[in-house]
Amino acid sequence: MKAIIKPSEAKGRIIAPPSKSFAHRIMICAALSDGTSEISNLSKSQDLLATTDCICALGANIKEHGDTLKITGRKMNGEKNAVFPCRESGSTLRFLIPIACALYDSSVFEGSERLLERGISVYEDIFKDCGIEISKTKNSITFCGRLLPKEYTVLGNVSSQFISGLLFALPLLDGDSKITVIPPVESKPYIDITLYVLEKFGIKIEKCGENSYFIRGNQKYQPQNMAVTGDWSNSAVFFVLNALGGNIEIEGLSEDSLQGDKIITEYIRELKKENPVIDISSCPDL
């Protein structure tokens, strides 16, 4: 029989695991940089291993030292195509597709049947005007054609990963671009995280309205040394246990974090009121 532990019996101290949301973005920016970045406090989740495989396919060089990676950015060798093994990581797939279409004439994304069933309809719609041809099998998606500098309009009620993917790729193009996100914009904190990491790596994105972004072309990613911050999403369960009577000390989280899920502490206070109403559209992981 399984032991049943009451919330009031939950005691101890935990260190928040590294934020995958930050880790994916930092690793990708490091791979696009001209030089070597040192990224510390990384975990070895399957999603991050997929991102590691894909940035190696992109041409980055990686050296591992414990929880730290030294990532030397890709070198342009005139290659025309590449293959990206995404395993089952949706974020890896959605982040890398526009980057590959910015850098290669053709690219193939491989992954589990389950991953590819989740779809990339947003990219299928907005890539039409670029002349990018897309073909699929059960375990791969092939893109033929290049991403163009232009204005892109994206619905805000889709995954923010599609918007982040464009934000990574468009600075690499020869001309200027613009992204307009049609409200309501869900998961906006994740877009803010992308903008924050891009700025750290020297990429300038100009807001030209509440949900519009102007992206200059011909920008260069600059290498950075960064530590991945603690993850509020995975730590939320411990805040809930404490609210139910537990006594767990949670370390490694930043109160200034851009992660939307840090609102868990405010939501717990709201839930103690009569007839609480909680809006989790900006933090679906909660």
Side-chain angles (χ1 to χ4, degrees):
M1 293 179 62
K2 293 183 178 179
I4 299 175
I5 300 175
K6 299 177 181 178
S8 59
E9 297 172 341
K11 300 177 182 179
R13 168 180 166 272
I14 67 112
I15 298 176
S19 166
K20 288 196 298 181
S21 298
F22 269 93
H24 281 293
R25 290 161 170 82
I26 293 171
M27 291 169 65
I28 289 170
C29 288
L32 295 172
S33 298
D34 184 13
T36 300
S37 302
E38 186 169 294
I39 314 302
S40 60
N41 194 34
L42 286 162
S43 66
K44 289 188 177 180
S45 70
Q46 288 299 311
D47 281 357
L48 289 183
L49 290 174
T51 295
T52 300
D53 291 344
C54 286
I55 64 175
C56 285
L58 197 65
N61 179 268
I62 297 178
K63 293 182 180 179
E64 181 179 351
H65 304 277
D67 70 349
T68 298
L69 294 181
K70 287 188 175 181
I71 302 175
T72 302
R74 70 184 302 276
K75 300 294 183 183
M76 295 296 292
N77 296 318
E79 62 269 35
K80 297 294 184 181
N81 51 69
V83 178
F84 299 92
C86 294
R87 305 190 187 195
E88 292 193 353
S89 176
S91 53
T92 303
L93 176 72
R94 291 166 177 170
F95 287 159
L96 267 294
I97 284 174
I99 295 172
C101 291
L103 299 174
Y104 300 101
D105 292 337
S106 66
S107 53
V108 179
F109 285 82
E110 298 175 340
S112 69
E113 186 174 348
R114 178 171 170 268
L115 169 65
L116 300 185
E117 282 176 350
R118 292 166 61 181
I120 53 158
S121 58
V122 174
Y123 288 146
E124 291 180 89
D125 292 338
I126 64 178
F127 284 1
K128 287 178 183 177
D129 291 340
C130 295
I132 296 174
E133 297 181 358
I134 303 172
S135 57
K136 303 177 185 177
T137 69
K138 287 196 304 182
N139 297 108
S140 69
I141 306 174
T142 300
F143 297 83
C144 293
R146 291 272 188 146
L147 195 67
L148 299 177
K150 59 188 293 291
E151 182 168 349
Y152 294 87
T153 301
V154 185
L155 292 174
N157 61 355
V158 299
S159 170
S160 63
Q161 293 169 356
F162 292 107
I163 300 163
S164 290
L166 289 171
L167 288 169
F168 288 128
L170 296 176
L172 301 170
L173 303 181
D174 289 337
D176 301 340
S177 302
K178 183 180 179 182
I179 300 173
T180 298
V181 185
I182 300 175
V185 183
E186 297 182 4
S187 304
K188 191 173 184 297
Y190 291 99
I191 300 174
D192 293 336
I193 291 173
T194 300
L195 294 171
Y196 172 82
V197 175
L198 285 169
E199 184 177 13
K200 289 294 184 182
F201 281 83
I203 300 299
K204 304 299 182 185
I205 308 291
E206 300 173 29
K207 289 198 71 173
C208 47
E210 181 62 28
N211 299 306
S212 295
Y213 307 91
F214 178 76
I215 304 103
R216 295 196 181 279
N218 294 305
Q219 294 194 58
K220 303 294 184 184
Y221 282 78
Q222 303 298 323
Q224 295 293 318
N225 296 334
M226 295 183 68
V228 178
T229 60
D231 187 63
W232 279 89
S233 301
N234 283 314
S235 300
V237 65
F238 299 106
F239 285 99
V240 173
L241 278 172
N242 285 345
L244 295 173
N247 183 23
I248 299 172
E249 184 180 354
I250 306 161
E251 298 182 359
L253 295 173
S254 170
E255 293 289 343
D256 298 327
S257 175
L258 292 173
Q259 297 175 59
D261 289 352
K262 72 176 183 181
I263 203 169
I264 182 65
T265 55
E266 180 179 327
Y267 283 173
I268 288 172
R269 288 193 295 271
E270 287 296 317
L271 286 169
K272 293 178 180 179
K273 299 177 181 179
E274 188 175 354
N275 300 320
V277 177
I278 303 296
D279 178 6
I280 59 169
S281 60
S282 291
C283 44
D285 288 346
L286 293 185

